[in-house]
Amino acid sequence: MATIVANTVTSGLKKLAADLPIWATQALNAEAEVTLTAAKKLTPVSQGGKNVKGNRRGKPGGRLRRSARVRYATPFEMKALITYGTNYAIYVHEIPPPPSKSSPGGRSATHKPPTQWKFLETAVNQRALKFKERIARVIRKRMAASMMGTSVGV
């Protein structure tokens, strides 16, 4: 026969309640980082061209990739935001490949594979299917490690 000590159970539950938001935040932020990496691989990189004065331009797509950031979730605000820090990111994101006339002004853009339009939306959609399962797996690992008195990385 086993005796359950109420104080032990209560203190364990309090610790779990304190740790759970931290574990969920860490898992969410790790997921955002992986999604950002996937989005960067799909982000178009301009091959340059000539500006109005006829000089060679740089690669603004490279700047677009470098501007991508994650605004991390906290235990108090459980959302991570993936953003691009350039004013033309949304513009590039929404220009479809030819022959579509659905973009503003009938514009279209050809992207060298694997880059594409809708680069952020595509990365999020590809990862969304198993999102809950990955977050739950991290939290279960953390809970098991906590019960065993060990630590585990994300």
Side-chain angles (χ1 to χ4, degrees):
M1 180 167 158
T3 303
I4 298 174
V5 180
N7 290 343
T8 305
V9 172
T10 303
S11 67
L13 288 174
K14 284 181 182 176
K15 180 169 175 19
L16 177 62
D19 289 343
L20 192 56
I22 295 167
W23 297 335
T25 300
Q26 291 170 339
L28 182 59
N29 289 335
E31 188 67 26
E33 282 288 343
V34 172
T35 303
L36 175 66
T37 300
K40 282 182 173 183
K41 290 177 183 173
L42 299 173
T43 303
V45 176
S46 171
Q47 298 307 309
K50 295 192 177 187
N51 64 17
V52 179
K53 295 179 182 176
N55 298 325
R56 283 301 273 176
R57 289 187 296 195
K59 295 185 178 181
R63 190 172 100 208
L64 180 61
R65 282 184 184 170
R66 287 190 305 276
S67 77
R69 300 281 184 271
V70 172
R71 186 176 132 213
Y72 294 105
T74 69
F76 307 105
E77 185 180 22
M78 201 62 74
K79 70 178 176 186
L81 300 174
I82 300 171
T83 63
Y84 284 81
T86 59
N87 59 357
Y88 58 90
I90 293 172
Y91 175 79
V92 173
H93 188 267
E94 296 300 322
I95 300 176
S100 176
K101 301 292 183 195
S102 62
S103 66
R107 295 182 184 97
S108 65
T110 303
H111 303 295
K112 183 177 178 183
T115 68
Q116 63 181 54
W117 77 308
K118 302 280 187 186
F119 43 91
L120 183 53
E121 184 178 329
T122 300
V124 168
N125 289 339
Q126 288 171 345
R127 301 213 34 92
L129 189 60
K130 304 272 185 176
F131 173 76
K132 289 180 194 175
E133 294 170 23
R134 288 190 300 271
I135 298 291
R137 185 172 43 244
V138 169
I139 291 172
R140 278 194 299 272
K141 277 172 125 176
R142 293 288 178 116
M143 286 176 67
S146 177
M147 291 166 64
M148 300 292 280
T150 61
S151 63
V152 65
V154 176

